[in-house]
Amino acid sequence: MIISSLLITLTSSLAWQQADERELVGRATAYRLDRIETLDGDALINATVLVQDGIIQRIGKVVIIPEYATVHDLRGTGAVMTPPLVLSHANFLQSDRRDGGNNSRFIAADSLWLAADWQTGLWEYGVGMVAVDPPGNGAPGRTSVLKVAASEKRPETLVDDLHLKLDMATNSSAKNLIRDGIKAAEAAIENEIQAEKDWKKSRKEWDAKKEEEKQAAEAAKANGEKAKKVKEGDEEQGPPETFEAPEIKDNEQAFVDWVRKERTVQVHMRSASDWLHWMQIMEDREENYEVVFSMGSTTNLHEVIDSVVTSGARIDLPARMSFLPYTRNRVNIAAELVAAGCDKLILSPASNSIAGLRDLRASVSRLIAEGLDETIALRAITLEPALAVGQEEVMGTIAIGMPASFVIWSGDVFDPLTEVDSLVLDGEEKFNREQFESELLR
């Protein structure tokens, strides 16, 4: 009885870890590692990921590997697998410059002109997807999202037109621009509502008139009278069969989408006072927005942490330790936000450049050393930015059924000496450290 019970328990355990034991067909690759940070539950120790035709088919401590599969056995090397890094502001890929004002008709993808090997510089640091902001201030346009997989100078975007970017500052021109944009959007929406009411009324009156004419014609016919003939070209034109909404101006459309809750605003700001002014603009409004804070060596954002968290907005911060103003007291805004209840945190490079990307993990490691949870930190540079751009099913967790997109690191992700050994997107290895370095020596 005891032996039977043990067999049942073992069988159940194997079934749980081996989600699908059907024979795989097609190209298969297995990765065996000491640690896999799936972000779909706890990390897996001494586990295997089996990929077939670009999709993760099996994952766990006990995985049946087909005889024909290519096996990468990295156990004992200290290698760690994670989802790829996602940058929410890869603005160093831009080449355009633009002044302030309402330029919300533009999209960031139109400001890109990339070098032929642009993707290699991102793969080298573990980046699989990027979002790019439109250049300029005020309301400069809408963000675009790119998968770091193409080699063209003008790569195809995953999302061409996403967030409306707004700059918030403690001056009247910045606030007036946003208020004017909202006011124009509300007027455009009201104009459309009224136009539809007018159309429905006209349509109802027209249908009633045509019905009367039809009945009159039928009555005349019954009385033996001839129907009146209408000369060609004199036919009365009724309203359209379907409603045609009034055209919305190019620089109003993105604001209209936002007010209608069909688009999210990404509002950029620098200080606690910027946040308070933003709160004045929003008042009782319920439109969706995310907040991107810029912090220098000093910050006063600690003064509004409770208000920021209460808003429920996704928060994007540069990965850096700062000082309280006029003091030598350091402050970890990321850790304080999490402690206050923030569950949607993104960490971006402290400087928007390849150098900032190169230093990102080291910067995050300092936040971890000063109290930020390590798993939250890893999510903040991988899954959370993917969620922010709506691409978590393209590049999110490491789980069965997900695209096989991941990074294999030489060691602890947040050890500054750790490097990217390999980056895989959709099952295809895009970057291999050994090959990359051997090519550099040629």
Side-chain angles (χ1 to χ4, degrees):
M1 180 64 73
I2 295 176
I3 294 175
S4 298
S5 177
L6 288 172
L7 286 173
I8 291 172
T9 302
L10 179 59
T11 302
S12 299
S13 175
L14 288 173
W16 178 81
Q17 297 178 63
Q18 183 66 58
D20 186 355
E21 296 193 9
R22 293 174 298 174
E23 185 63 27
L24 299 178
V25 178
R27 180 171 58 91
T29 307
Y31 299 86
R32 310 187 75 178
L33 295 103
D34 294 325
R35 186 178 184 89
I36 301 174
E37 295 283 359
T38 67
L39 297 186
D40 185 42
D42 294 335
L44 298 177
I45 308 301
N46 189 20
T48 300
V49 172
L50 184 63
V51 175
Q52 189 259 335
D53 289 341
I55 302 297
I56 297 175
Q57 298 289 347
R58 301 170 183 171
I59 183 171
K61 293 186 177 182
V62 181
V63 169
I64 298 173
I65 302 175
E67 293 182 0
Y68 57 83
T70 300
V71 179
H72 298 280
D73 193 345
L74 303 174
R75 292 173 299 175
T77 67
V80 177
M81 177 185 287
T82 74
L85 272 57
V86 177
L87 295 185
S88 51
H89 312 287
N91 299 347
F92 50 85
L93 297 176
Q94 295 171 350
S95 57
D96 285 359
R97 295 292 181 268
R98 191 176 300 140
D99 294 331
N102 185 354
N103 293 300
S104 57
R105 65 189 181 278
F106 294 112
I107 59 173
D110 291 337
S111 299
L112 297 176
W113 187 258
L114 307 175
D117 61 347
W118 70 277
Q119 73 280 24
T120 305
L122 297 173
W123 289 337
E124 183 182 359
Y125 297 111
V127 178
M129 185 163 59
V130 298
V132 183
D133 300 329
N137 301 311
R142 289 106 69 183
T143 60
S144 301
V145 184
L146 296 80
K147 197 171 188 179
V148 188
S151 58
E152 296 85 0
K153 292 185 178 181
R154 174 61 164 83
E156 183 179 351
T157 53
L158 282 171
V159 184
D160 217 35
D161 175 4
L162 189 60
H163 299 126
L164 169 61
K165 177 184 175 183
L166 296 177
D167 276 319
M168 183 69 247
T170 53
N171 59 68
S172 58
S173 60
K175 291 185 286 185
N176 288 339
L177 186 149
I178 297 172
R179 286 194 173 111
D180 290 346
I182 293 173
K183 185 177 179 180
E186 291 175 334
I189 293 170
E190 184 58 37
N191 183 42
E192 183 176 312
I193 292 171
Q194 186 59 51
E196 186 171 14
K197 287 180 180 178
D198 293 342
W199 169 80
K200 287 180 178 178
K201 181 181 177 182
S202 298
R203 192 71 218 174
K204 184 177 180 180
E205 291 173 350
W206 175 261
D207 291 342
K209 179 180 178 181
K210 299 307 288 183
E211 181 64 25
E212 288 177 4
E213 291 175 355
K214 178 182 177 182
Q215 292 177 3
E218 290 175 351
K221 183 178 180 181
N223 294 330
E225 300 174 5
K226 292 184 178 180
K228 293 181 179 180
K229 292 185 178 180
V230 180
K231 293 182 180 180
E232 187 175 350
D234 290 345
E235 299 92 345
E236 188 178 358
Q237 297 295 317
E241 289 287 338
T242 57
F243 174 65
E244 298 175 2
E247 186 175 352
I248 296 174
K249 295 178 181 178
D250 289 344
N251 275 346
E252 293 177 1
Q253 185 62 62
F255 278 94
V256 168
D257 295 340
W258 179 41
V259 172
R260 282 177 168 162
K261 299 181 176 62
E262 296 173 354
R263 182 189 298 276
T264 297
V265 153
Q266 199 173 71
V267 56
H268 293 239
M269 59 185 73
R270 299 164 184 78
S271 66
S273 59
D274 291 346
W275 170 259
L276 295 177
H277 282 272
W278 173 252
M279 286 289 93
Q280 288 180 351
I281 291 175
M282 294 306 292
E283 293 181 328
D284 296 326
R285 308 190 68 89
E286 296 180 353
E287 286 84 4
N288 300 318
Y289 63 89
E290 300 178 358
V291 182
V292 181
F293 283 117
S294 298
M295 297 188 305
S297 57
T298 63
T299 182
N300 62 356
L301 291 178
H302 63 286
E303 297 176 357
V304 294
I305 281 178
D306 289 340
S307 175
V308 170
V309 172
T310 301
S311 74
R314 190 181 303 278
I315 309 302
D316 192 324
L317 287 175
R320 71 188 318 161
M321 292 290 298
S322 296
F323 293 89
L324 299 179
Y326 312 111
T327 76
R328 297 179 65 183
N329 299 322
R330 295 200 302 174
V331 59
N332 187 340
I333 296 296
E336 291 198 14
L337 281 167
V338 172
C342 175
D343 60 356
K344 291 177 287 188
L345 176 68
I346 295 173
L347 292 174
S348 297
S351 66
N352 211 307
S353 62
I354 284 291
L357 171 59
R358 181 192 61 217
D359 297 337
L360 175 60
R361 290 180 298 108
S363 300
V364 175
S365 71
R366 287 190 282 273
L367 298 179
I368 293 170
E370 295 292 337
L372 182 62
D373 178 82
E374 188 168 335
T375 300
I376 291 174
L378 181 58
R379 285 179 60 93
I381 58 176
T382 56
L383 182 56
E384 289 299 333
L387 286 165
V389 296
Q391 300 300 309
E392 67 276 11
E393 293 185 0
V394 173
M395 201 164 296
T397 58
I398 298 175
I400 292 173
M402 287 289 290
S405 297
F406 44 76
V407 181
I408 297 176
W409 306 88
S410 61
D412 180 359
V413 179
F414 295 115
D415 183 339
L417 297 180
T418 293
E419 295 181 315
V420 173
D421 279 346
S422 175
L423 183 141
V424 175
L425 297 179
D426 296 327
E428 181 181 351
E429 187 176 59
K430 297 292 187 179
F431 178 84
N432 181 283
R433 173 71 58 184
E434 186 175 347
Q435 294 176 4
F436 176 70
E437 292 182 348
S438 64
E439 290 175 1
L440 290 178
L441 295 175
R442 288 179 184 176

